[in-house]
Amino acid sequence: MLFWADIKERLCRFRDDEKGTILVETVLSLPLLFLALAASYEFFEVHRYKSAREKATYTIADMLSREQNVVTETYIDNTKTLFDEISNDTGTNQIRVSIIRYNASSDQYEIAWSRVRGTGGLAALTTADVANDHDVLPVMGDGEEVILVESNSSYEPLFSLVYSTSIGIETRVFTSLRFAPQLCFNSCSS
């Protein structure tokens, strides 16, 4: 019986002893705190990354909407360069600029022209791609044109805690022409 009483007394002393509790709490909470901080940073970084691309896409669309001259291949190349500068990233970015026209007699959309810069999954749009996209494209008047600027980027996670694979960031902006009746590529037709 003395043996069990001795063990019980030692266990009670161990339970009531408060020496080293800060060390134990630190060892338990510090990794959890680091994980929470890293996850918070990763969430913030994804939203910052997407926001930078949205701003760059809006800037390109606004720039094109104000253009009164003919757009050339060099102009489109420079829009991609500007997009990369605004988004402040050396990663893989791709942009697609398209002019979409509405034809009221056929109740269909048509592509006036479409150009892609950068590497990725975007391809130049054709009339067959957009002809009946009434649920995606804006309501327009007969012969009206709208500029569609799309971007496609890939976010690579920093810590692989929250996201384990890359995340595709896509943006899409529609804007109307402001100062010219049409935005022409290489030359204007009537």
Side-chain angles (χ1 to χ4, degrees):
M1 200 63 161
L2 184 61
F3 175 72
W4 291 112
D6 188 37
I7 289 178
K8 183 178 179 184
E9 181 184 334
R10 286 180 187 236
L11 286 174
C12 287
R13 268 192 316 207
F14 179 74
R15 179 193 66 201
D16 296 336
D17 187 12
E18 294 183 2
K19 294 178 189 169
T21 57
I22 292 177
L23 179 64
V24 172
E25 289 175 4
T26 302
V27 167
L28 293 175
S29 64
L30 199 56
L32 295 174
L33 184 63
F34 175 74
L35 288 173
L37 184 65
S40 297
Y41 182 78
E42 192 79 61
F43 279 124
F44 168 79
E45 189 62 19
V46 167
H47 290 291
R48 185 208 58 81
Y49 191 88
K50 182 170 176 55
S51 175
R53 271 129 196 87
E54 286 176 347
K55 290 174 185 174
T57 306
Y58 275 109
T59 301
I60 298 298
D62 186 56
M63 178 183 75
L64 287 164
S65 73
R66 296 169 189 271
E67 188 59 54
Q68 296 180 32
N69 296 322
V70 174
V71 174
T72 63
E73 293 287 348
T74 304
Y75 190 98
I76 299 296
D77 291 340
N78 289 333
T79 60
K80 169 67 167 64
T81 303
L82 179 63
F83 181 89
D84 290 340
E85 286 295 320
I86 293 172
S87 62
N88 195 19
D89 179 31
T90 57
T92 304
N93 295 318
Q94 187 180 27
I95 65 167
R96 174 170 54 198
V97 176
S98 305
I99 303 299
I100 301 171
R101 183 180 303 121
Y102 180 68
N103 184 341
S105 62
S106 65
D107 191 30
Q108 291 188 334
Y109 296 95
E110 303 166 348
I111 293 292
W113 58 268
S114 181
R115 295 293 181 270
V116 176
R117 293 297 184 269
T119 56
L122 295 177
L125 288 176
T126 63
T127 298
D129 294 331
V130 299
N132 293 309
D133 282 351
H134 295 282
D135 57 336
V136 177
L137 298 173
V139 175
M140 297 163 44
D142 187 33
E144 183 180 355
E145 290 185 351
V146 70
I147 302 168
L148 170 61
V149 179
E150 299 168 282
S151 71
N152 193 356
S153 302
S154 180
Y155 174 77
E156 298 296 329
L158 298 173
F159 300 114
S160 296
L161 294 172
V162 179
Y163 306 106
S164 59
T165 60
S166 64
I167 301 168
I169 305 292
E170 299 174 356
T171 60
R172 171 184 273 196
V173 174
F174 293 101
T175 188
S176 296
L177 298 166
R178 295 176 190 233
F179 303 122
Q182 63 181 350
L183 184 60
C184 302
F185 187 78
N186 284 338
S187 66
C188 281
S189 61
S190 54

